[in-house]
Amino acid sequence: MKPLAEARDEVLAAVHPLPVVEVLLEDARGLALAEDVVATEDVPPFDNSAMDGFAVQRADLNSVPVVLPILEDVPAGSVPSQPLTSGSVIKIMTGAPLPEGADTVVKVEDTSPVGTTEVQISAAPDLGTAVRRAGGDVKRGTTVFTAGTRLSSTHLSVLASLGVAKPLVRRRPVVAYMTTGDELVPASTATLRPGQIRDANTHTVGAILDELGVEGINIGAIGDDADELREALSSAADQADIIITTGGVSMGEYDLVKQVLTELGGVEFWKVAMQPGKPFAFGRIAGTPLFGLPGNPVSVMVAFEQFARPALLKMMGSSALLRPRLRARLEREVSTNPEKIVFLRVALRHDGDVLTCDLSGGQDSNVLSALASANGLAVVPFGTGHVAAGEFVDVEILRLDDQ
Ligand code: AMP
Ligand code: MG
């Protein structure tokens, strides 16, 4: 059995960043920048008002209330036609350019109209209040994001405001995935015949790929038949950058993925000293890397996390390949196999200032319900075998939104 770190290094050495392409912002979410983004403009591009109110010279408000004449109105999208002169105000809306000569904005709530041409100002805010300076958010020339940053909605927002409408990114990987097993029927099957189970893995893999920003091609559920599998794998290799299979990589007579993989391309390794996810085959079909994940849904998810996710992120050019880890206090004693690195499905919680975690349910690799309620994978390192209640462990963070 290969240690996890060695197996992952081999996988990572076998995949390479995909070509650089220019994409529209609307197609860029989840992809990683292929170059640093340097601001060629200030954001905001001009001094403007942070409030609906009146642009003033602060020196005119030394004794309030004061009534001052309104020179003009400046809505957002317009520009003032004149500078602000001492002893007068210009009505201004949020986001409208600050008139030359103005140094402060008084919000509308601190004013009241006097006829149609004058306003009474009843508060004297500090000099510079409610003024947003040009470049106050991003200064021209600043490196805003570095190559390898994966673009989330907020990154896209910054790029849009800078006028970077077609960022350079690494192309989106295409992954062909399939499940294997004669026992599998679609999730929509109302009544199971004896021996049948509903296919969970198609949905797990499809959704994980989608969350990662990878394009998935569902090849389908393949029976335990060497010819059918051979054909499906060859077709997958023609269409995709990566192939992912689930099931059929253990020791059983019907575990054909490894056998067909050996025939068609070659198995680079098989069996990793980890739990769950030990039977894991990595190889190539006609040059296309194949991740042969185990069949049990929990093992699928854990093996995907440890191998396929970092490999896909490397292909995307992401600077971060691994999940962030946090230290958390394990709430109960756990004994594991010391010959393996063990990933416990845990739920993270706060106990006062301390981050704690507890098993989210049964830890057998077929127990899906414990996976669904877990938001982290606690790591029991190789050679450890035992964690006492109250000991701190590393937890790979899967999600934080439901912590
Ligand atoms: P295998 O590695 O093919 O022997 O599969 C291991 C276990 O995972 C068996 O109990 C399978 O029935 C189960 N399994 C395989 N594929 C799926 C799937 N797509 N959805 C749910 N369970 C599966
Ligand atoms: Mg099977």
Side-chain angles (χ1 to χ4, degrees), residues 30-338:
L31 299 177
L33 286 172
E35 60 172 8
D36 293 355
V37 171
V38 178
T40 56
E41 293 174 11
D42 282 339
V43 180
F46 46 84
D47 292 352
N48 67 95
S49 177
M51 294 280 192
D52 294 329
F54 293 86
V56 301
Q57 292 188 356
R58 175 62 183 75
D60 290 338
L61 307 185
N62 285 336
S63 83
V64 284
V66 59
V67 174
L68 296 169
I70 304 169
L71 296 182
E72 66 175 310
D73 268 25
V74 190
S78 305
V79 287
S81 67
Q82 59 194 311
L84 178 74
T85 47
S86 171
S88 52
V89 301
I90 287 180
K91 192 170 184 182
I92 192 166
M93 298 299 134
T94 305
L98 193 74
E100 208 189 304
D103 55 28
T104 303
V105 173
V106 181
K107 60 179 186 291
V108 73
E109 294 87 333
D110 293 335
T111 69
S112 47
V114 178
T116 53
T117 58
E118 292 182 316
V119 64
Q120 174 176 290
I121 296 190
S122 50
D126 291 343
L127 180 70
T129 294
V131 172
R132 301 191 288 215
R133 291 293 173 197
D137 185 348
V138 179
K139 272 241 163 321
R140 192 160 82 95
T142 315
T143 300
V144 187
F145 303 129
T146 51
T149 303
R150 283 181 67 226
L151 300 172
S152 67
S153 53
T154 44
H155 294 108
L156 297 179
S157 166
V158 173
L159 293 181
S161 66
L162 286 168
V164 182
K166 290 182 182 171
L168 281 188
V169 295
R170 301 263 169 197
R171 160 169 96 60
R172 198 178 291 283
V174 178
V175 175
Y177 61 100
M178 66 189 79
T179 55
T180 66
D182 283 339
E183 71 279 33
L184 302 175
V185 292
S188 57
T189 306
T191 312
L192 298 176
R193 287 209 306 271
Q196 293 185 327
I197 59 165
R198 295 191 184 85
D199 166 19
N201 293 344
T202 292
H203 300 280
T204 317
V205 174
I208 303 182
L209 293 174
D210 194 50
E211 279 172 12
L212 197 54
V214 166
E215 186 184 332
I217 300 175
N218 181 8
I219 302 286
I222 310 301
D224 290 319
D225 174 89
D227 288 336
E228 197 183 337
L229 191 58
R230 227 175 265 126
E231 206 169 296
L233 289 175
S234 306
S235 145
D238 288 346
Q239 301 179 57
D241 302 306
I242 289 281
I243 304 168
I244 291 179
T245 61
T246 72
V249 285
S250 28
M251 299 290 280
E253 244 172 77
Y254 295 93
D255 290 329
L256 297 171
V257 170
K258 195 166 66 84
Q259 183 190 310
V260 173
L261 180 59
T262 309
E263 231 176 76
L264 289 184
V267 179
E268 291 185 23
F269 64 82
W270 178 58
K271 279 196 180 175
V272 179
M274 66 187 265
Q275 189 183 329
K278 180 191 77 175
F280 165 76
F282 180 67
R284 285 174 193 279
I285 305 278
T288 306
L290 178 142
F291 292 77
L293 306 183
N296 274 313
V298 176
S299 311
V300 167
M301 182 270 177
V302 173
F304 185 96
E305 278 293 318
Q306 300 308 319
F307 299 110
R309 187 175 191 277
L312 286 164
L313 287 172
K314 180 174 176 189
M315 294 170 81
M316 293 164 97
S318 170
S319 44
L321 303 185
L322 301 180
R323 296 274 195 191
R325 285 185 175 198
L326 292 175
R327 298 282 288 168
R329 195 181 68 202
L330 187 61
E331 297 283 62
R332 75 175 88 188
E333 179 182 11
V334 172
S335 289
T336 59
N337 181 348

Side-chain angles (χ1 to χ4, degrees), residues 297-298 301 345-347 360-362 367-376 398-399 402:
V298 176
M301 182 270 177
R345 276 72 70 207
V346 296
S360 61
V367 180
L368 257 178
S369 51
L371 183 60
S373 51
N375 52 10
L398 302 173
R399 294 188 300 270
D402 54 356

